[in-house]
Every structure is written in structure tokens, then in C-alpha cells.
Amino acid sequence: MAKNILICDDAAFMRMMIKDILTKNGYTIVGEAENGQKAVEKYNETKPDLVMMDITMPEMDGIQALKKIKSTDPNAAVIMCSAMGQQAMVIESIQSGAKDFIVKPFQPDRVLEAVQKAIG
């Protein structure tokens, strides 16, 4: 029942933290991306069950990447992450099709709850 997850964050430390939480709980990390453009490419390569997507990234932000992924795969499950609890971005993420939104610094329980809610 291993679920495949793609982690997208421009901070290697954050990717490592998420990866650590998820792998300890039986999830498989199929790829990592450091910007939105790479996230879209990796999504198309790996077709993960879920994407953990940071909002603020260089080249293409997480919301643009989310919209691109959803345009090619309307069933894509994406959870947005951000250090900034910016209401407008949260609302835009959800309207653009994100399943959930988690705020940094990550609480492992909250990450797992969001993942389970998004992909069971």
C-alpha cells in the first residue's frame, strides 16, 4: 500500500524534513524538485499519488506549478506548503485544486493527517 509522493521545495532542508516524516510512515518518495518547473517535469515522469508543493519557489511558483499539473491531470492530488500563512495564497491554492495546505514549520502529525486525507 506504499503511496508514491513527489516533494517540491526550494529548500533542501525542508525536502529532507518532509521525506523523513513520510518515509518513516511507509510512504515512498519518487522524486524531489527545487522549483515549480522541475516539479511539473518530475510529475509527468513519475506520476506520483501525491505532490507536496511549496508555494514560494524560484522560476515557477507552487501555485503556477499546481495549475500546470492540474491542467494535464485533473485528478492530481497536491498539498501546498508555505512558511507564510498568507490567506490569499491559501485560498488561491484551494481554488486551483490543492487538496490541503500545511504551514511551516511542519508538525509531523499535521503532515501525515493531510497526506492521509488527500490519498487515504
Side-chain angles (χ1 to χ4, degrees):
M1 124 64 234
K3 297 281 186 176
N4 297 326
I5 299 177
L6 173 63
I7 301 172
C8 312
D9 197 306
D10 56 329
F13 174 74
M14 284 298 172
R15 292 197 307 268
M16 196 181 72
M17 273 180 61
I18 298 172
K19 188 179 194 170
D20 191 50
I21 293 167
L22 296 172
T23 52
K24 279 182 179 158
N25 287 278
Y27 294 98
T28 303
I29 306 309
V30 291
E32 294 183 31
E34 64 281 355
N35 64 55
Q37 187 59 53
K38 288 251 188 332
V40 174
E41 291 166 16
K42 283 258 197 305
Y43 183 87
N44 293 328
E45 279 169 33
T46 60
K47 296 284 187 255
D49 297 305
L50 178 70
V51 182
M52 301 290 288
M53 179 90 70
D54 185 25
I55 285 185
T56 315
M57 291 187 289
E59 288 180 52
M60 179 192 291
D61 71 28
I63 292 177
Q64 289 173 300
L66 166 68
K67 289 176 178 172
K68 262 213 154 92
I69 289 170
K70 287 299 239 180
S71 73
T72 59
D73 182 358
N75 299 319
V78 181
I79 295 175
M80 302 304 282
C81 317
S82 180
M84 303 169 291
Q86 292 182 326
Q87 209 54 41
M89 286 190 161
V90 175
I91 291 165
E92 188 178 352
S93 299
I94 301 299
Q95 286 173 340
S96 299
K99 297 269 186 214
D100 206 341
F101 190 92
I102 52 178
V103 181
K104 299 172 186 174
F106 302 119
Q107 303 300 317
D109 293 349
R110 177 67 186 106
V111 171
L112 294 170
E113 176 198 320
V115 169
Q116 284 159 352
K117 204 168 84 181
I119 57 173

Short mmCIF file of all heavy atoms in Angstrom, two decimals, residues 54 56 92 109:
data_model
loop_
_atom_site.label_atom_id
_atom_site.label_comp_id
_atom_site.label_asym_id
_atom_site.label_seq_id
_atom_site.Cartn_x
_atom_site.Cartn_y
_atom_site.Cartn_z
N ASP A 54 5.71 23.36 -2.24
CA ASP A 54 5.94 24.65 -1.60
C ASP A 54 5.35 25.73 -2.51
O ASP A 54 5.33 25.58 -3.73
CB ASP A 54 7.46 24.86 -1.44
CG ASP A 54 7.81 26.13 -0.68
OD1 ASP A 54 6.96 26.60 0.12
OD2 ASP A 54 8.92 26.64 -0.86
N THR A 56 6.33 29.23 -2.43
CA THR A 56 7.34 30.21 -2.82
C THR A 56 8.60 29.51 -3.32
O THR A 56 9.38 29.00 -2.53
CB THR A 56 7.68 31.13 -1.63
OG1 THR A 56 6.46 31.52 -1.00
CG2 THR A 56 8.43 32.35 -2.07
N GLU A 92 -6.19 30.82 -3.04
CA GLU A 92 -5.89 30.57 -4.45
C GLU A 92 -5.45 29.12 -4.67
O GLU A 92 -5.84 28.49 -5.66
CB GLU A 92 -4.80 31.53 -4.96
CG GLU A 92 -4.63 31.41 -6.47
CD GLU A 92 -3.60 32.36 -7.08
OE1 GLU A 92 -3.10 33.25 -6.36
OE2 GLU A 92 -3.30 32.18 -8.26
N ASP A 109 2.54 15.27 12.74
CA ASP A 109 1.16 14.79 12.80
C ASP A 109 0.29 15.48 11.76
O ASP A 109 -0.56 14.86 11.13
CB ASP A 109 0.55 15.02 14.19
CG ASP A 109 1.21 14.16 15.26
OD1 ASP A 109 1.98 13.24 14.88
OD2 ASP A 109 0.96 14.40 16.45
#
